[in-house]
Amino acid sequence: MGAYEEKKEACGTVCLKYLLFTFNFLFWLAGGVVMAVGVWTLVEKSDYISLLPSKTYAASAYILVLAGAIVMVTGVLGCCATFKEQRKLLGVYFVLLLCIFLLEILAGVLAYIYYQQLNDELKQNLKATMTNKYRQSDENMHITKAVDKLQQEFKCCGSNNSTDWVESEWIRSADSKGRKVPDSCCKTEIDLCGQRDHPSNIYKVEGGCISKLEKFTLEHLKIIGAVGIGIACVQIIGMVFTCCLYRSLKAEPY
């Protein structure tokens, strides 16, 4: 009877090992996905981050990159701990899983919080950023580049509408050379095309950029939040498997 119980216990341990190994492989792949989403958010649309009044959006993406990198390293450690059947390694693996879990939950929560306050912050800050910092100094060149890219890519002009540019310090100055809006407002962007603000020439009836930037950012925040919280929930399974395997292994002799 004792031999049967030992055999049953050994089979259970082997099953747990292979389950945990499979989980670790999938977990390693998931880490690559998490890191890719974070890097894509920071690199592909990094210009727009400078137009956002809060650093929460960027912080969420950086947390995902960090969590994804740790996940990939942890996945390899988990495989080693599983096959070597070392309780100490499994303990370290569990602690790392818990840390990553908390990081990804944090990224998801930050994304959700910023999702709730984004509209108000954009309304208060985007117009001031565009009119006060556009082409004002070398320090604000990244703002200028971001505004031009935003207006061309989303086919919009100004924060709420094209008349916002009337308040622009640059448009009022001699440096604008008589432009009524920046050239990036034009449907066909050429030098000095912003001197003519007719709807046939600029994005006047298409509306302002605030609603389009908000929609774009909200979509990305949803992705960041869903990836962070989704992977974190999957990790719970890994932590359960780890605890079960840890308990099934005999204590190491000292």
Side-chain angles (χ1 to χ4, degrees):
M1 189 69 179
Y4 172 76
E5 288 295 329
E6 284 185 17
K7 187 177 180 181
K8 184 178 177 182
E9 188 177 325
C11 286
T13 301
V14 170
C15 287
L16 277 171
K17 278 177 61 178
Y18 282 100
L19 278 172
L20 192 54
F21 177 79
T22 303
F23 169 80
N24 277 310
F25 177 70
L26 295 174
F27 188 51
W28 183 82
L29 291 177
V33 172
V34 169
M35 190 162 61
V37 169
V39 171
W40 169 68
T41 302
L42 292 170
V43 174
E44 185 69 16
K45 304 297 181 182
S46 59
D47 291 331
Y48 299 144
I49 292 175
S50 62
L51 297 177
L52 298 174
S54 171
K55 300 299 180 186
T56 309
Y57 178 78
S60 299
Y62 279 120
I63 289 172
L64 277 190
V65 173
L66 176 63
I70 298 174
V71 162
M72 297 188 78
V73 174
T74 304
V76 175
L77 175 64
C79 290
C80 294
T82 302
F83 276 100
K84 289 188 177 183
E85 297 187 5
Q86 292 184 2
R87 297 183 93 204
K88 286 181 181 178
L89 269 180
L90 281 173
V92 172
Y93 174 63
F94 179 84
V95 171
L96 285 173
L97 274 183
L98 184 60
C99 291
I100 298 165
F101 174 80
L102 294 174
L103 269 178
E104 289 173 339
I105 288 292
L106 177 61
V109 169
L110 282 175
Y112 178 77
I113 291 173
Y114 194 48
Y115 182 93
Q116 301 298 312
Q117 65 187 42
L118 177 64
N119 184 267
D120 290 337
E121 288 195 357
L122 278 179
K123 283 180 180 176
Q124 293 171 14
N125 293 279
L126 184 60
K127 182 179 177 180
T129 299
M130 293 175 80
T131 57
N132 297 333
K133 294 183 179 181
Y134 185 82
R135 290 187 181 272
Q136 288 305 296
S137 66
D138 291 339
E139 293 178 2
N140 291 322
M141 279 307 295
H142 65 290
I143 299 284
T144 301
K145 181 182 175 184
V147 170
D148 286 337
K149 184 177 179 181
L150 177 69
Q151 294 191 139
Q152 275 293 296
E153 193 165 304
F154 290 107
K155 297 180 172 27
C156 56
C157 186
S159 177
N160 299 298
N161 51 60
S162 60
T163 59
D164 289 340
W165 286 109
V166 173
E167 301 174 31
S168 167
E169 294 182 26
W170 178 70
I171 290 293
R172 290 175 174 179
S173 71
D175 293 337
S176 68
K177 298 179 180 179
R179 291 180 178 89
K180 296 179 180 178
V181 293
D183 293 341
S184 57
C185 279
C186 299
K187 295 178 179 178
T188 302
E189 187 178 3
I190 56 173
D191 190 37
L192 298 177
C193 65
Q195 291 176 341
R196 182 169 170 265
D197 63 351
H198 191 272
S200 63
N201 184 50
I202 68 167
Y203 297 115
K204 194 164 188 172
V205 297
E206 286 81 1
C209 298
I210 189 168
S211 59
K212 298 182 179 182
L213 180 59
E214 180 189 14
K215 183 181 178 183
F216 161 81
T217 309
L218 289 180
E219 286 173 353
H220 279 67
L221 285 173
K222 285 179 184 177
I223 293 171
I224 291 172
V227 168
I229 293 176
I231 299 297
C233 291
V234 171
Q235 283 176 238
I236 295 174
I237 300 170
M239 287 189 279
V240 170
F241 285 159
T242 305
C243 287
C244 292
L245 182 59
Y246 184 90
R247 293 184 62 184
S248 70
L249 295 174
K250 293 179 180 179
E252 296 176 18
Y254 289 95

